[in-house]
Amino acid sequence: MSIEKIVIVGGGTAGWMAAAALSRLGKDRKVEIILIESEAIGTVGVGEATIPPFVEFNQLLEIDEREMMSAIQGTFKLGIQFVNWGNQGDSYIHPFGAYGYNMGGVSFHNVWHRCREAGDKRPIQAFNVETMAAYFGRFSRTEDHPREDLPPVNYAYHIDAGRYAQFLRTYAKARGVVRREGKVIDVARDAESGFVTSVKMDSDSDISGDLFIDCSGFRGLLIEQALETGYEDWTRWLPCDRAVALPCNRDDGSPPLPYTRATAHSAGWQWQVPLQHRNGNGHVYCSQFMEADEAHDILVSNLAGKPTADPNHLRFLTGRRKKFWNKNVVALGLSAGFMEPLESTSIHLINTGINKLISVLSLDGINQTQEDAFNRLTRKEYERIRDFLILHYHQTARDDSEFWNYCRTMSVPDSLTEKMELFRTNGQIFREEDELFTETSWAAVMMGQGLEMQGNNAMASSLNLVQLKPEIDGMEQSIRYLVNHMPTHDAYLNKYCPAPMS
């Protein structure tokens, strides 16, 4: 059966990202795309921080960056600052770019470790432009600098998720996507194949389709309620299961930071996401060790200004669907699974889910090979990200609460244990297949949380540091020069993409 009609159930970030991307299908072959959403059903809307692949997503849609950033009150993001994670009082930045570059086939963090053993006191952060720019509150894009010998600047965005969904809604509707207002109250399936054939609206109308995209959030209206796909629970490794979100003003007049901040508390952590005219905030916590009122009080006592909305209390179960594509239903966003926003991967997983769907999709119909490939690749992606998030909790010296005692002593997946042991032995990090997080990402979090290299790999041990010193010094000097010539983040926003005061 050919695919002539795609129905997206649910709006929000996931629904409208899918609609925007799929609206580019069918230039030579007509594909009808309908998105169903209800104004009466709220969206979670707490994911306001992104990672660099999101920039590419918008570029593929040929969206003007300046126009979008102004419309959604966006700011730029160079990485994530983690406070109080390895130990109380600790702080480090997980940057979007690399530490230095490979030298003689050796990863730079191994080169740096050799230099440190030889007496070089410079921190590894001095060899990363995103970290240094973040520390000094500066920002510019690679294309703003005419010199080609300077390191590239890797960035993402902080966005107002609600405004971004509205922006894409306008984009998608202009390209033929039809929006239908209302709630889905029933789902019809083919008796023989089990495929979803149509959904019934609260207006009593039926909407049929050939392919259905489930963007209905945690409830998984199609993927779970209709198809009973099942869910794999990961709370034994990622025990936080609650969050309270609360936007606020920046009453102290401070400029928006060019990075996200994640501050660990006694039973979870707090995010701060700076937009142009406000901050997005939230406290992710474990209900086994903290009550909702205490979590709310901790959040409010650590805000930069007066709250601008009522608190939004959320419940979630960290994990994933046992299938992301089941029959003719593909789940995206929260309906596919949930991993807390610690490394800003929620919107990224929507992005990559859409990319994989478009890559394997054939308008001639659906077959088992497509479904199997999509599920296999998505499962691997979720598991790699899962391990990276567990690392933040498990690699800690904190013993000041029962929550941190649990995290520090819990058993973790063998895949993560191997990664940690290899790094501890000789600094080796294997990036498997197309996994999201780079060597620098793993090294930044491992070292930032106190996991130290106890030795060097064989190739690093053979390097002549005297010969390499001028090149290493040149790296640091280029970064220092670039950061010194960057404007402040606030000044860059005001000139490049100022948002209206509304």
Side-chain angles (χ1 to χ4, degrees):
M1 182 179 67
S2 63
I3 296 175
E4 299 176 355
K5 189 174 183 181
I6 299 174
V7 179
I8 302 169
V9 177
T13 307
W16 286 111
M17 283 179 68
L22 292 170
S23 72
R24 297 169 61 83
L25 292 175
K27 289 186 178 180
D28 300 319
R29 185 169 167 180
K30 179 65 176 175
V31 179
E32 185 181 358
I33 300 173
I34 295 176
L35 184 144
I36 302 168
E37 68 175 344
S38 171
E39 297 289 358
I41 299 176
T43 58
V44 173
V46 299
E48 295 178 322
T50 66
I51 54 180
F54 184 70
V55 177
E56 298 173 13
F57 175 81
N58 289 280
Q59 289 173 344
L60 287 172
L61 295 181
E62 298 178 340
I63 287 173
D64 183 272
E65 182 180 71
R66 302 174 82 151
E67 177 188 355
M68 181 194 73
M69 291 289 279
S70 178
I72 66 176
Q73 298 190 348
T75 63
F76 291 96
K77 175 182 174 182
L78 295 166
I80 306 172
Q81 182 189 43
F82 291 93
V83 181
N84 297 335
W85 282 83
N87 223 325
Q88 288 182 296
D90 289 353
S91 174
Y92 68 94
I93 286 180
H94 166 201
F96 286 147
Y99 293 133
Y101 50 77
N102 286 4
M103 308 184 76
V106 178
S107 299
F108 185 78
H109 66 269
N110 275 288
V111 178
W112 170 82
H113 188 254
R114 281 283 323 278
C115 292
R116 188 178 67 164
E117 289 180 327
D120 193 325
K121 301 297 184 182
R122 287 174 292 187
I124 196 168
Q125 290 81 4
F127 300 94
N128 177 264
V129 66
E130 291 84 5
T131 300
M132 298 312 294
Y135 279 144
F136 288 99
R138 296 176 177 268
F139 179 80
S140 63
R141 299 170 305 146
T142 302
E143 52 265 46
D144 297 321
H145 301 280
R147 283 180 51 179
E148 295 182 357
D149 61 329
L150 297 174
V153 180
N154 299 275
Y155 66 87
Y157 308 127
H158 298 120
I159 68 173
D160 181 313
R163 289 176 183 265
Y164 181 65
Q166 288 293 326
F167 185 89
L168 289 187
R169 175 169 158 177
T170 302
Y171 173 99
K173 289 176 69 177
R175 287 157 179 79
V177 174
V178 176
R179 178 187 178 275
R180 293 286 298 271
E181 167 66 31
K183 298 180 182 178
V184 172
I185 59 172
D186 197 13
V187 179
R189 298 173 60 190
D190 181 82
E192 184 176 338
S193 68
F195 277 31
V196 172
T197 55
S198 65
V199 293
K200 181 177 285 295
M201 305 287 289
D202 54 2
S203 61
D204 208 33
S205 61
D206 292 330
I207 298 177
S208 61
D210 305 309
L211 175 68
F212 290 81
I213 314 296
D214 189 341
C215 300
S216 62
F218 289 125
R219 58 184 179 151
L221 182 62
L222 303 181
I223 197 73
E224 193 60 50
Q225 292 185 17
L227 297 183
E228 298 181 344
T229 302
Y231 196 82
E232 187 171 309
D233 181 351
W234 288 343
T235 51
R236 63 189 182 279
W237 297 313
L238 294 166
C240 290
D241 58 354
R242 301 284 190 276
V244 53
L246 190 63
C248 76
N249 294 319
R250 281 193 298 275
D251 294 336
D252 58 3
S254 60
L257 299 171
Y259 56 87
T260 305
R261 177 176 289 151
T263 304
H265 294 307
S266 61
W269 63 280
Q270 176 179 337
W271 77 76
Q272 177 181 288
V273 175
L275 300 176
Q276 290 194 34
H277 303 317
R278 67 172 176 87
N279 282 350
N281 311 278
H283 185 185
V284 176
Y285 63 98
C286 177
S287 62
Q288 183 179 346
F289 298 100
M290 182 174 288
E291 297 294 330
D293 288 345
E294 183 183 0
H296 174 264
D297 291 344
I298 290 173
L299 176 61
V300 171
S301 65
N302 287 281
L303 296 181
K306 183 179 178 182
T308 57
D310 293 330
N312 183 13
H313 289 271
L314 304 165
R315 296 186 175 204
F316 55 85
L317 184 68
T318 303
R320 64 168 183 87
R321 299 290 172 204
K322 292 182 178 179
K323 289 183 179 180
F324 305 93
W325 183 329
N326 191 358
K327 302 187 184 301
N328 66 334
V329 172
V330 177
L332 295 174
L334 299 177
S335 62
F338 183 78
M339 283 184 284
E340 57 178 87
L342 184 59
E343 282 284 354
S344 309
T345 53
S346 295
I347 292 177
H348 173 76
L349 286 167
I350 299 170
N351 180 3
T352 57
I354 293 168
N355 291 346
K356 282 192 280 287
L357 171 60
I358 291 174
S359 295
V360 302
L361 187 63
S362 168
L363 297 182
D364 293 326
I366 297 170
N367 60 48
Q368 192 63 44
T369 302
Q370 294 168 305
E371 178 182 329
D372 291 345
F374 185 92
N375 286 328
R376 175 175 53 82
L377 294 170
T378 308
R379 181 178 66 253
K380 284 185 178 180
E381 182 174 36
Y382 268 72
E383 289 172 352
R384 298 282 186 267
I385 293 173
R386 175 202 67 191
D387 286 0
F388 192 61
L389 298 186
I390 296 170
L391 172 65
H392 296 66
Y393 287 101
H394 183 59
Q395 179 54 45
T396 182
R398 288 190 61 163
D399 59 1
D400 54 290
S401 71
E402 287 304 307
F403 172 80
W404 289 108
N405 285 337
Y406 171 82
C407 293
R408 192 185 67 254
T409 59
M410 67 182 174
S411 61
V412 299
D414 292 342
S415 50
L416 175 58
T417 299
E418 178 186 89
K419 214 140 197 168
M420 295 174 68
E421 286 303 314
L422 282 172
F423 184 81
R424 182 182 285 111
T425 300
N426 67 356
Q428 182 59 49
I429 297 169
F430 287 107
R431 189 181 183 201
E432 300 183 33
E433 298 173 351
D434 60 346
E435 84 173 83
L436 170 62
F437 293 106
T438 64
E439 279 191 71
T440 290
S441 294
W442 283 96
V445 175
M446 286 176 176
M447 292 189 290
Q449 307 245 165
L451 181 62
E452 296 187 359
M453 297 165 54
Q454 296 178 354
N456 301 300
N457 68 30
M459 289 297 294
S461 299
S462 67
L463 293 174
N464 186 322
L465 297 183
V466 175
Q467 291 181 354
L468 291 177
K469 188 176 187 304
E471 188 175 356
I472 294 170
D473 291 345
M475 286 187 206
E476 183 196 10
Q477 291 161 10
S478 293
I479 291 170
R480 188 185 301 123
Y481 173 88
L482 179 53
V483 172
N484 284 340
H485 286 78
M486 287 180 176
T488 65
H489 181 224
D490 197 31
Y492 195 93
L493 293 170
N494 289 335
K495 183 178 179 180
Y496 182 73
C497 56
M501 293 293 292
S502 61

